[in-house]
Amino acid sequence: MEDDQPRLRQYDHWCRRVDDLLVTEAWKKQKEIAAREGVVAIAYERKYGQYSRIYQMAKLMLWTAGAGLYGCPIAMTGKSVNHGCARVIELLGTQEMKDQVYSRLTSRDPSKFYTSGQWMTERPGGSDVGRTETQAVWNEEKKAWSVSGFKWFSSATDADVAMLLARTHDPNPSIAPGNMKDGSRGLSLYLAKVRDDQGKLNGVRIHRLKDKVGTKALPTAELQLEGMIAQQVGQTHSGIKNISAILNITRIYCGMNCTSAMQGFVLQAKEYARRREVFGALLKDQPLHLATLANMELQYRATSQFTFFLVAMLGRIETLDNDLPQIRDRDMPLLRLLTPILKMWSAKNAFIMSQEAMESFGGQGYMEETGIGRAMRDVLVNTIWEGTSNVMALDVLRVMAETGGKALQLYSDVCVPIYVCSCKEQSAMSCQKSSVDCLILIAIRFTSYATLDGRNTLEASARGLSFAMADVMAGALMCEHAVWSEAKAKANPSNSVAAAEAKVDRISAQRWCEELYRRVDHQIQTLGQEERYEQDQQMLFALADARKAAASGNADSASGHAFGEAKL
């Protein structure tokens, strides 16, 4: 669908502003498929209880690979944004919202099915939503909120409804100048239909479609909102808190999307290696190429384990009593900590793998016909969407600070027993010491620099710490899976496939753990040295500042000399 991109027709033949968004029939068809297959509904029908999320995300992962990016509006509906929007309404929406919108977001009927957009980003700042300029004023006549402002980046512009943040006008003028609170504390969350009952845009003007590096099949636009009729979701001035349900799901969706992309890259590269002969031998039999493919396979397996670990956790939180100790004291805080870690780690590694996949095809990989170039452009969005790597890393530090370090203790309490049990079950898998040493490195970094004086060093280490935590958690999960796989094979001795799976799972876990300490040590110790902050400042800006100062001094001297001559 990249060859036939969405188009914007702003005026009709009578010069009337219409802002028609023109998409392909294939794009429209995906909406019908999404509804019939229940890619959102599965998670909310909860036919399989806490396992419904696993079923839904597994199906979504397979569908995403060939859905031409339609997974994005599904994400915002419930898939990610769709899933996020549905979840927010389920938790915070009024009965009217549930009857009129939630029921459609989770419907299997194509004629009723809704998709959702997420309109948060504005010109003053992306992740810094506290600078939001869009305003919401109560419309007494319509008994609704009138929203006006400019949205610089609207995900899924062709969606049926949208979730958006706006600064709420308060009737009490003493609260803040302009009857509004400043910063993020003045924001509320709103739900609006994109079109009214007559099919006309609901106070929306589409300025232009965004010219993006990738995801070109997905219509994304700059929007002017002028009196968009909307309903407030949740309490006033709790917008940031209320969008957390969307962010958790969309970030987990990023992990799932990256897992799906990695799976595609690995399968293509392996199949090509089976067929491509170079220097008298197939690529699959050449040691260096084989080692490259093995590293790709290992990262895919690790990402898959980590992603579905969080999906399972999300399923439990959504379906079980949140007052249960396991949910309240373990799953909920752990999900809050690990979600930004999964998002940044999977996104970064998926893009790196796209480069390896392209290289594995040689010159053919650089040709558009193979589709790897498009896949590379598309997967890159995961490093940006819902927060860059730096934004996610700082969010991890925020969780640590909010919990007073309890989140780190909880993380260790989950990892260590898995490693201990795995090593006990498989004596040849010497992973316990390596994993414990890694956890000690992570804990020392957090505790040593969790002070005002150490703030710069800790913040500079945030990326490395987050990647290290992801690597350790993924290793624990791979070990746990290897133990389960071997037990399954022993219980079915005549099943040759189960035996092969167990062997591969064991090799993968062992390989990951063998390299774990070296990787974590580099991420934490080397990249987070105290003196690096000052050195980085010097290396990046000192020379340019010195040249600028010297140039300014020379100019002042020349000016003074000229003034003296003129005076004479």
Side-chain angles (χ1 to χ4, degrees):
M1 283 194 261
E2 192 179 51
D3 293 334
D4 194 359
Q5 299 175 25
R7 292 178 294 115
L8 173 61
R9 185 173 72 99
Q10 289 187 306
Y11 297 92
D12 67 8
H13 56 294
W14 294 111
C15 300
R16 291 174 299 195
R17 186 73 179 259
V18 290
D19 286 352
D20 280 342
L21 192 56
L22 307 176
V23 296
T24 65
E25 286 302 313
W27 182 262
K28 296 175 184 176
K29 199 72 176 177
Q30 289 290 358
K31 184 177 181 180
E32 297 179 19
I33 295 171
R36 283 199 305 269
E37 293 296 325
V39 289
V40 176
I42 289 169
Y44 296 93
E45 293 167 346
R46 299 193 175 119
K47 180 179 178 181
Y48 304 101
Q50 62 177 290
Y51 305 108
S52 296
R53 267 294 179 191
I54 296 177
Y55 171 33
Q56 177 258 329
M57 280 287 188
K59 187 170 186 176
L60 183 56
M61 189 180 99
L62 297 175
W63 178 70
T64 296
L69 297 175
Y70 202 80
C72 178
I74 293 299
M76 303 190 208
T77 307
K79 280 183 238 165
S80 166
V81 180
N82 250 48
H83 281 308
C85 182
R87 181 62 175 160
V88 169
I89 295 176
E90 183 181 40
L91 293 173
L92 303 171
T94 63
Q95 191 58 49
E96 182 182 8
M97 291 177 189
K98 293 175 181 177
D99 293 341
Q100 296 185 6
V101 180
Y102 175 82
S103 61
R104 287 175 173 265
L105 292 172
T106 58
S107 175
R108 287 179 180 260
D109 184 345
S111 66
K112 296 179 180 178
F113 182 60
Y114 271 1
T115 58
S116 170
Q118 180 178 307
W119 302 351
M120 307 294 178
T121 307
E122 302 199 3
R123 286 174 293 195
S127 298
D128 187 4
V129 294
R131 300 175 66 186
T132 294
E133 296 175 332
T134 299
Q135 300 179 16
V137 180
W138 177 252
N139 187 319
E140 183 62 31
E141 181 183 347
K142 296 186 177 181
K143 301 297 181 183
W145 292 88
S146 176
V147 179
S148 299
F150 191 92
K151 294 297 182 181
W152 183 81
F153 192 96
S154 65
S155 298
T157 308
D158 64 333
D160 300 289
V161 295
M163 282 276 184
L164 62 154
L165 288 174
R167 196 167 301 285
T168 305
H169 275 254
D170 195 289
N172 185 353
S174 66
I175 290 181
N179 299 336
M180 295 179 292
K181 290 184 179 181
D182 298 327
S184 58
R185 64 193 182 96
L187 300 179
S188 303
L189 183 63
Y190 295 90
L191 173 68
K193 290 185 177 181
V194 177
R195 295 181 179 274
D196 60 24
D197 295 337
Q198 286 73 47
K200 295 180 180 179
L201 287 170
N202 173 21
V204 179
R205 283 197 169 192
I206 305 177
H207 274 250
R208 63 168 181 161
L209 295 181
K210 307 296 281 189
D211 187 11
K212 299 168 292 182
V213 171
T215 64
K216 294 180 180 293
L218 175 68
T220 310
E222 293 177 4
L223 305 177
Q224 181 76 44
L225 308 183
E226 297 176 351
M228 186 180 201
I229 300 302
Q231 298 294 333
Q232 193 176 106
V233 182
Q235 293 183 344
T236 303
H237 300 147
S238 298
I240 302 299
K241 176 184 176 182
N242 292 339
I243 63 171
S244 61
I246 294 179
L247 295 179
N248 269 341
I249 295 177
T250 52
R251 288 171 180 175
I252 292 174
Y253 172 80
C254 276
M256 184 282 300
N257 187 48
C258 291
T259 304
S260 178
M262 286 180 174
Q263 182 185 56
F265 293 138
V266 170
L267 288 175
Q268 290 178 75
K270 288 197 294 188
E271 286 306 308
Y272 188 67
R274 289 177 181 273
R275 293 164 172 76
R276 174 63 170 161
E277 184 177 317
V278 180
F279 302 121
L282 292 172
L283 283 176
K284 77 179 188 68
D285 297 323
Q286 301 195 22
L288 182 56
H289 194 81
L290 196 63
T292 302
L293 295 185
N295 285 333
M296 292 171 64
E297 176 79 20
L298 201 58
Q299 188 63 55
Y300 159 65
R301 286 172 171 268
T303 306
S304 179
Q305 288 290 332
F306 195 1
T307 298
F308 280 93
F309 177 66
L310 294 198
V311 170
M313 206 181 302
L314 177 64
R316 291 195 295 272
I317 292 170
E318 290 180 333
T319 57
L320 301 181
D321 183 357
N322 283 187
D323 286 329
L324 290 172
Q326 181 193 4
I327 305 299
R328 183 191 63 237
D329 302 330
R330 178 185 181 272
D331 285 353
M332 294 178 74
L334 195 60
L335 186 71
R336 173 69 182 93
L337 171 67
L338 294 180
T339 297
I341 292 176
L342 170 68
K343 193 272 182 188
M344 64 178 291
W345 179 76
S346 62
K348 188 66 71 175
N349 288 319
F351 182 66
I352 292 171
M353 190 182 291
S354 73
Q355 295 173 292
E356 291 285 16
M358 181 175 282
E359 283 192 49
S360 73
F361 276 73
Q364 282 287 15
Y366 198 62
M367 300 298 107
E368 286 287 2
E369 290 88 344
T370 62
I372 297 178
R374 174 186 172 177
M376 176 187 284
R377 292 191 295 272
D378 289 347
V379 80
L380 179 58
V381 74
N382 292 290
T383 63
I384 308 293
W385 183 45
E386 301 299 2
T388 63
S389 299
N390 284 356
V391 171
M392 294 296 99
L394 293 175
D395 194 32
V396 173
L397 294 188
R398 189 178 300 114
V399 176
M400 293 295 184
E402 289 172 352
T403 62
K406 291 181 181 178
L408 181 60
Q409 184 61 54
L410 179 61
Y411 166 83
S412 299
D413 290 345
V414 170
C415 287
V416 172
I418 295 177
Y419 276 115
V420 172
C421 179
S422 300
C423 295
K424 192 179 296 183
E425 292 291 332
Q426 298 193 8
S427 56
M429 193 183 294
S430 55
C431 57
Q432 183 178 347
K433 183 179 184 304
S434 174
S435 64
V436 172
D437 288 343
C438 289
L439 289 168
I440 291 172
L441 282 180
I442 292 169
I444 289 174
R445 174 61 53 169
F446 274 117
T447 55
S448 299
Y449 295 100
T451 63
L452 190 60
D453 292 338
R455 178 178 176 179
N456 288 339
T457 302
L458 182 59
E459 188 171 314
S461 307
R463 263 204 200 202
L465 280 166
S466 299
F467 285 137
M469 292 176 73
D471 286 338
V472 173
M473 177 59 75
L477 297 171
M478 291 175 78
C479 288
E480 183 180 54
H481 181 72
V483 171
W484 173 85
S485 186
E486 189 162 276
K488 177 185 171 185
K490 287 180 178 178
N492 300 275
S494 61
N495 190 331
S496 59
V497 174
E501 286 179 345
K503 187 173 184 178
V504 171
D505 291 335
R506 183 188 182 87
I507 291 171
S508 300
Q510 185 71 44
R511 181 81 60 86
W512 187 270
C513 291
E514 285 172 355
E515 300 173 359
L516 187 59
Y517 186 84
R518 175 189 56 79
R519 201 161 53 239
V520 169
D521 180 61
H522 173 72
Q523 290 164 338
I524 294 179
Q525 303 283 50
T526 306
L527 301 180
Q529 297 173 5
E530 286 188 59
E531 63 273 17
R532 282 207 168 202
Y533 177 73
E534 294 297 333
Q535 290 176 352
D536 291 346
Q537 289 277 359
Q538 293 290 319
M539 183 173 64
L540 294 169
F541 303 113
L543 183 56
D545 290 345
R547 285 172 174 165
K548 185 177 180 180
S552 177
N554 292 336
D556 291 342
S557 176
S559 175
H561 183 65
F563 179 74
E565 288 182 343
K567 201 174 177 184
L568 290 171

